[in-house]
Amino acid sequence: MAIDIDDKEERAAYVALALTPGIGAMRMAALLGHCHTASGALAAPFAFLSTIPGISPAAASAIAERTPADGERILAEVSRLGGRSIVPDDADFPPVLREIPDPPTLLFAMGEVALLGRPAAAIVGSRDHSEYGSLVGREVAEAAARAGVVVVSGMARGLDAIAHLAALDAGGATIGVLGNGLGVVYPAANRALYRRVAEQGLLLTEFPPGERPGIGAFPRRNRLISALARVTVVVEAAEGSGTLITVGTALAQGRDVMAIPGNITSPTSLGTNRLIRDGAEPLLEVADLLAHFPECEHSKTQAHGSATRRPGGSAKACPTPPEDLTPLERGIFEILRGGHTALDAVVAQCGNTPSEALVAISTLELRGLLIHSNG
């Protein structure tokens, strides 16, 4: 049942109903199906609401306590903050969000809403990341943004913040999905990022303005991050990382998942390496990600042309090895310093097991310190 989105009173009633505790997409559909309008649902007596399939007595009581004025207050606050509400019947409500399990019934946005209709990739990762994670996360986000792909992440400290900033610094677009309401900056250290994304990108949330993050807020946020993106890229994730929740929602939504391999001794790469082992697509160079976006104007150039970059640095030769290389990585670097060497020869010369050598080779390739070409 569609609502009259141009009727201010009906829109306010819908907002009040959507923000009633316990009212999700299924119950909202049941209410609109039986009451025809959100205003009708708010005006319906408790006895009638209790007869609607799926509406429990507790839900009926909560609905009976709501009025359109509750929605009017929310909408006024959103407007004061410079944001806007988006309901499923609005033209710019993302169609991809209508298709997921537990779709949102209401969104609040601040910034460039048109970004919701563009191809997007989620770039997520650990709050406590390594220098390697910072380096490759930034370069993947920059490359995606330059190709015209919108970078989506969760506005958390760490790799989320790095992805947002890299996209904007590259002149691209980014969507920050919040686990709280508009007007709340969380974490507080991201105040400047919050302002910049609102001005140059888009902040998006399903929580009402002023609401602080609570239990369950971030898993709900994560399902929107993965839903908005064609591909979710995991840069770094320790064992048990909340980032892996986003992977779970992406898989449940039928989205692709990519992971950046890391050093097998690094705790922050434990999750990504296991994802690859369990079937996630490894992201070994920017072209791997851009191949998922053939319609983007610059993706083919970046994937196949002379401008191709490996995450972690340029593809140019490096005269001296960086100081932070592991002994194995440094040994492989020295083997390759003289020029092209067959992969089997590198593995044989480094003196480690093939699996250890291949992980180190992948790390060096991600950092732009070697190019893997024709074996």
Side-chain angles (χ1 to χ4, degrees):
M1 178 67 66
I3 69 166
D4 184 355
I5 59 176
D6 296 322
D7 184 307
K8 291 184 178 179
E9 183 175 346
E10 177 61 14
R11 193 177 190 93
Y14 180 90
V15 169
L17 189 61
L19 293 176
T20 301
I23 303 303
M26 292 185 65
R27 283 178 169 172
M28 177 65 81
L31 287 165
L32 295 180
H34 285 77
C35 301
H36 307 296
T37 65
S39 299
L42 293 184
F46 173 85
F48 175 76
L49 292 172
S50 298
T51 66
I52 298 175
I55 304 300
S56 65
S61 295
I63 295 167
E65 293 174 359
R66 290 282 189 173
T67 69
D70 296 321
E72 291 170 0
R73 284 191 291 271
I74 293 294
L75 292 175
E77 180 62 10
V78 172
S79 179
R80 186 189 71 79
L81 291 169
R84 55 163 294 188
S85 65
I86 307 176
V87 302
D89 288 327
D90 285 326
D92 43 16
F93 189 93
V96 292
L97 295 187
R98 297 190 181 102
E99 303 164 358
I100 63 172
D102 190 21
T105 57
L106 176 64
L107 297 169
F108 299 102
M110 183 185 297
E112 186 54 62
V113 174
L115 295 181
L116 293 170
R118 287 176 47 185
I123 300 179
V124 296
S126 175
R127 290 172 172 80
D128 300 312
H129 56 83
S130 69
E131 182 179 351
Y132 163 77
S134 173
L135 183 68
V136 298
R138 175 173 292 279
E139 295 210 5
V140 170
E142 286 178 352
R146 289 195 183 103
V149 178
V150 177
V151 172
V152 183
S153 201
M155 293 295 290
R157 66 178 176 87
L159 290 172
D160 283 20
I162 287 170
H164 290 303
L165 287 171
L168 294 175
D169 289 345
T174 190
I175 298 174
V177 185
L178 305 176
N180 48 262
L182 297 178
V184 175
V185 179
Y186 181 87
N190 279 354
R191 184 169 299 277
L193 174 63
Y194 184 102
R195 182 168 54 250
R196 191 174 175 192
V197 174
E199 293 172 352
Q200 298 176 256
L202 176 69
L203 293 173
L204 190 72
T205 180
E206 59 184 326
F207 300 99
E211 182 164 319
R212 298 194 61 80
I215 297 175
F218 294 111
R220 292 190 63 77
R221 175 205 63 180
N222 292 353
R223 90 190 196 289
L224 296 186
I225 292 173
S226 60
L228 290 169
R230 186 177 304 173
V231 184
T232 293
V233 177
V234 185
V235 180
E236 281 187 321
E239 186 174 23
S241 170
T243 299
L244 301 178
I245 296 175
T246 311
V247 172
T249 61
L251 294 174
Q253 295 160 355
R255 305 297 193 263
D256 291 328
V257 174
M258 303 184 77
I260 295 177
N263 193 314
I264 62 173
T265 65
S266 171
T268 54
S269 288
L270 180 60
T272 50
N273 290 340
R274 285 181 175 175
L275 285 173
I276 293 170
R277 178 197 65 190
D278 295 338
E281 181 184 352
L283 197 163
L284 300 180
E285 58 183 14
V286 169
D288 297 335
L289 173 60
L290 298 185
H292 290 265
F293 299 92
E295 76 277 27
C296 288
E297 181 179 358
H298 303 295
S299 62
K300 291 183 180 179
T301 300
Q302 291 205 30
H304 303 296
S306 59
T308 298
R309 290 171 60 91
R310 273 67 177 171
S314 72
K316 296 179 180 178
C318 184
T320 57
E323 294 181 358
D324 62 344
L325 294 184
T326 66
L328 175 56
E329 292 164 357
R330 187 176 296 272
I332 292 173
F333 185 96
E334 294 298 337
I335 292 170
L336 292 168
R337 185 192 289 275
H340 289 82
T341 305
L343 179 61
D344 290 346
V346 175
V347 173
Q349 291 179 56
C350 72
N352 288 69
T353 66
S355 60
E356 291 172 335
L358 289 172
V359 168
I361 288 169
S362 295
T363 301
L364 290 171
E365 186 175 13
L366 282 167
R367 296 188 61 174
L369 300 177
L370 66 83
I371 297 175
H372 184 187
S373 177
N374 297 327

